[in-house]
Amino acid sequence: MKQTNNAINWIEVGYELFALEGPEGIQVERLSRILHLNKSGFYHYFENRHRYMDCLLSEHVAKAKSLTAEIDLLGNIIPDLLQLLLRYKTTICFHRQLLIHHANPELYKCFNDINSHTDQALLPHWADFIGLPEDHELASRYFGIARDMFYSRITPKTISIQLFEEIVREAQSVVRDLLIKRQL
């Protein structure tokens, strides 16, 4: 679909609303009101809500690819990753909504597809951060737990560098405690 400025505006506003409220936030009349555009424009560009959601998911995949490319260039989890996540706040919140609505197979598939790429980019940094640079399999298992903890604790209102640091430090501490007990 060739996107005009109006089509892009519909997607940008919908992306923001989805990030805040999930699929429930996507209502054609509401989008129309926010954009000060006629509802018929929505149907002109997207045909229906399902096609619009496909466009939002495609937008999310594109944003996630940009995030993943930047992850590859990171120096450290603290502060580099935390600052990067804050810059991608809306993308992180959108992704969180995909997890929250995991009962929808299309949304959950998108969540998992993106994670398969971002996890690969994050894993070396995470493994170093938690002290498992040589055991990526174990680091990956701990990462899954930390990621779930991350998404369960963030909201669009609470996202901050401080919260990110608190979560990764807590995860780091738990992993280190487990490793110490494992060695005993």
Side-chain angles (χ1 to χ4, degrees), residues 142-165:
Y142 287 133
F143 179 75
I145 293 166
R147 183 186 56 228
D148 291 347
M149 180 174 63
F150 172 78
Y151 283 118
S152 73
R153 291 176 55 188
I154 64 164
T155 69
K157 291 181 181 177
T158 62
I159 284 186
S160 67
I161 291 286
Q162 295 78 19
L163 178 61
F164 290 158
E165 185 167 355

Short mmCIF file of all heavy atoms in Angstrom, two decimals, residues 142-165:
data_model
loop_
_atom_site.label_atom_id
_atom_site.label_comp_id
_atom_site.label_asym_id
_atom_site.label_seq_id
_atom_site.Cartn_x
_atom_site.Cartn_y
_atom_site.Cartn_z
N TYR A 142 17.53 -17.22 31.85
CA TYR A 142 17.36 -16.14 32.83
C TYR A 142 16.83 -14.87 32.16
O TYR A 142 16.05 -14.13 32.75
CB TYR A 142 18.67 -15.82 33.55
CG TYR A 142 19.10 -16.87 34.54
CD1 TYR A 142 20.40 -17.34 34.56
CD2 TYR A 142 18.20 -17.38 35.46
CE1 TYR A 142 20.80 -18.30 35.48
CE2 TYR A 142 18.59 -18.35 36.39
CZ TYR A 142 19.89 -18.80 36.39
OH TYR A 142 20.28 -19.75 37.29
N PHE A 143 17.23 -14.66 30.93
CA PHE A 143 16.74 -13.49 30.20
C PHE A 143 15.23 -13.57 30.01
O PHE A 143 14.53 -12.58 30.15
CB PHE A 143 17.44 -13.36 28.84
CG PHE A 143 16.94 -12.18 28.06
CD1 PHE A 143 17.30 -10.90 28.40
CD2 PHE A 143 16.07 -12.37 26.99
CE1 PHE A 143 16.82 -9.81 27.69
CE2 PHE A 143 15.59 -11.28 26.27
CZ PHE A 143 15.97 -10.00 26.63
N GLY A 144 14.73 -14.75 29.68
CA GLY A 144 13.28 -14.92 29.51
C GLY A 144 12.53 -14.55 30.77
O GLY A 144 11.49 -13.88 30.72
N ILE A 145 13.06 -14.95 31.90
CA ILE A 145 12.43 -14.62 33.18
C ILE A 145 12.49 -13.11 33.43
O ILE A 145 11.50 -12.49 33.81
CB ILE A 145 13.11 -15.39 34.33
CG1 ILE A 145 12.85 -16.88 34.19
CG2 ILE A 145 12.64 -14.87 35.69
CD1 ILE A 145 13.74 -17.75 35.06
N ALA A 146 13.65 -12.52 33.17
CA ALA A 146 13.82 -11.08 33.38
C ALA A 146 12.91 -10.29 32.43
O ALA A 146 12.32 -9.27 32.83
CB ALA A 146 15.28 -10.68 33.18
N ARG A 147 12.78 -10.75 31.19
CA ARG A 147 11.92 -10.05 30.23
C ARG A 147 10.47 -10.09 30.69
O ARG A 147 9.77 -9.08 30.64
CB ARG A 147 12.06 -10.68 28.84
CG ARG A 147 11.24 -9.93 27.77
CD ARG A 147 11.25 -10.62 26.43
NE ARG A 147 10.79 -11.98 26.57
CZ ARG A 147 11.41 -13.04 26.06
NH1 ARG A 147 12.50 -12.91 25.36
NH2 ARG A 147 10.92 -14.25 26.24
N ASP A 148 10.03 -11.25 31.17
CA ASP A 148 8.65 -11.35 31.67
C ASP A 148 8.45 -10.43 32.87
O ASP A 148 7.41 -9.78 32.99
CB ASP A 148 8.31 -12.79 32.03
CG ASP A 148 8.23 -13.69 30.81
OD1 ASP A 148 8.19 -13.18 29.68
OD2 ASP A 148 8.20 -14.93 31.00
N MET A 149 9.44 -10.37 33.75
CA MET A 149 9.36 -9.48 34.90
C MET A 149 9.29 -8.02 34.43
O MET A 149 8.50 -7.23 34.95
CB MET A 149 10.58 -9.69 35.81
CG MET A 149 10.59 -8.81 37.05
SD MET A 149 11.95 -9.19 38.18
CE MET A 149 13.39 -8.82 37.21
N PHE A 150 10.08 -7.70 33.44
CA PHE A 150 10.10 -6.35 32.88
C PHE A 150 8.72 -5.97 32.37
O PHE A 150 8.18 -4.94 32.75
CB PHE A 150 11.14 -6.32 31.75
CG PHE A 150 11.15 -5.07 30.94
CD1 PHE A 150 11.75 -3.92 31.41
CD2 PHE A 150 10.57 -5.04 29.67
CE1 PHE A 150 11.78 -2.76 30.65
CE2 PHE A 150 10.59 -3.89 28.91
CZ PHE A 150 11.20 -2.75 29.40
N TYR A 151 8.12 -6.80 31.53
CA TYR A 151 6.82 -6.46 30.95
C TYR A 151 5.70 -6.48 31.98
O TYR A 151 4.70 -5.80 31.81
CB TYR A 151 6.48 -7.39 29.78
CG TYR A 151 7.24 -7.01 28.53
CD1 TYR A 151 8.13 -7.89 27.94
CD2 TYR A 151 7.08 -5.76 27.96
CE1 TYR A 151 8.83 -7.54 26.80
CE2 TYR A 151 7.79 -5.39 26.82
CZ TYR A 151 8.65 -6.29 26.25
OH TYR A 151 9.35 -5.93 25.13
N SER A 152 5.87 -7.23 33.06
CA SER A 152 4.82 -7.24 34.09
C SER A 152 4.87 -5.99 34.97
O SER A 152 3.88 -5.64 35.61
CB SER A 152 4.93 -8.50 34.96
OG SER A 152 6.04 -8.43 35.82
N ARG A 153 6.00 -5.30 34.96
CA ARG A 153 6.15 -4.16 35.87
C ARG A 153 6.09 -2.79 35.21
O ARG A 153 5.91 -1.79 35.89
CB ARG A 153 7.45 -4.31 36.65
CG ARG A 153 7.33 -5.49 37.61
CD ARG A 153 8.56 -5.82 38.38
NE ARG A 153 9.12 -4.73 39.14
CZ ARG A 153 10.30 -4.84 39.75
NH1 ARG A 153 10.98 -5.96 39.69
NH2 ARG A 153 10.78 -3.82 40.41
N ILE A 154 6.25 -2.75 33.90
CA ILE A 154 6.23 -1.45 33.25
C ILE A 154 4.82 -1.09 32.81
O ILE A 154 4.00 -1.96 32.55
CB ILE A 154 7.18 -1.37 32.04
CG1 ILE A 154 6.74 -2.33 30.93
CG2 ILE A 154 8.61 -1.60 32.46
CD1 ILE A 154 7.36 -2.05 29.60
N THR A 155 4.56 0.18 32.76
CA THR A 155 3.35 0.73 32.16
C THR A 155 3.79 2.01 31.45
O THR A 155 4.88 2.54 31.74
CB THR A 155 2.26 1.08 33.20
OG1 THR A 155 2.71 2.20 33.98
CG2 THR A 155 1.92 -0.10 34.10
N PRO A 156 2.96 2.53 30.56
CA PRO A 156 3.35 3.79 29.90
C PRO A 156 3.63 4.92 30.89
O PRO A 156 4.46 5.78 30.63
CB PRO A 156 2.14 4.12 29.02
CG PRO A 156 1.51 2.79 28.73
CD PRO A 156 1.73 1.98 29.99
N LYS A 157 2.98 4.89 32.04
CA LYS A 157 3.18 5.95 33.03
C LYS A 157 4.42 5.74 33.88
O LYS A 157 4.97 6.69 34.42
CB LYS A 157 1.95 6.06 33.93
CG LYS A 157 0.74 6.59 33.21
CD LYS A 157 -0.45 6.70 34.14
CE LYS A 157 -1.66 7.22 33.38
NZ LYS A 157 -2.84 7.30 34.19
N THR A 158 4.85 4.48 34.05
CA THR A 158 5.96 4.22 34.96
C THR A 158 7.31 4.07 34.27
O THR A 158 8.33 4.00 34.95
CB THR A 158 5.71 2.95 35.80
OG1 THR A 158 5.62 1.81 34.92
CG2 THR A 158 4.45 3.08 36.63
N ILE A 159 7.32 4.03 32.96
CA ILE A 159 8.59 3.83 32.26
C ILE A 159 9.54 4.96 32.58
O ILE A 159 9.22 6.14 32.44
CB ILE A 159 8.37 3.73 30.74
CG1 ILE A 159 7.81 2.35 30.40
CG2 ILE A 159 9.67 3.96 29.98
CD1 ILE A 159 7.68 2.09 28.92
N SER A 160 10.73 4.56 33.05
CA SER A 160 11.79 5.52 33.37
C SER A 160 13.11 4.78 33.43
O SER A 160 13.14 3.55 33.58
CB SER A 160 11.53 6.19 34.72
OG SER A 160 11.65 5.24 35.76
N ILE A 161 14.17 5.52 33.34
CA ILE A 161 15.50 4.93 33.48
C ILE A 161 15.63 4.27 34.84
O ILE A 161 16.17 3.17 34.97
CB ILE A 161 16.60 6.01 33.31
CG1 ILE A 161 16.65 6.50 31.87
CG2 ILE A 161 17.96 5.50 33.75
CD1 ILE A 161 17.27 5.56 30.88
N GLN A 162 15.09 4.92 35.87
CA GLN A 162 15.18 4.37 37.22
C GLN A 162 14.49 3.01 37.32
O GLN A 162 15.03 2.08 37.92
CB GLN A 162 14.59 5.35 38.25
CG GLN A 162 15.32 6.65 38.39
CD GLN A 162 15.01 7.65 37.25
OE1 GLN A 162 14.02 7.54 36.54
NE2 GLN A 162 15.91 8.61 37.07
N LEU A 163 13.30 2.89 36.76
CA LEU A 163 12.58 1.62 36.80
C LEU A 163 13.34 0.56 36.01
O LEU A 163 13.50 -0.57 36.47
CB LEU A 163 11.16 1.75 36.27
CG LEU A 163 10.36 0.43 36.23
CD1 LEU A 163 10.19 -0.16 37.64
CD2 LEU A 163 8.99 0.65 35.58
N PHE A 164 13.83 0.92 34.83
CA PHE A 164 14.61 -0.03 34.03
C PHE A 164 15.82 -0.53 34.81
O PHE A 164 16.10 -1.72 34.87
CB PHE A 164 15.09 0.61 32.73
CG PHE A 164 14.02 0.88 31.71
CD1 PHE A 164 14.23 1.83 30.74
CD2 PHE A 164 12.82 0.18 31.70
CE1 PHE A 164 13.27 2.10 29.77
CE2 PHE A 164 11.85 0.44 30.75
CZ PHE A 164 12.08 1.40 29.78
N GLU A 165 16.53 0.41 35.44
CA GLU A 165 17.72 0.02 36.18
C GLU A 165 17.35 -0.86 37.37
O GLU A 165 18.03 -1.85 37.66
CB GLU A 165 18.53 1.23 36.64
CG GLU A 165 19.82 0.82 37.30
CD GLU A 165 20.81 1.96 37.51
OE1 GLU A 165 20.56 3.09 37.06
OE2 GLU A 165 21.84 1.68 38.15
#
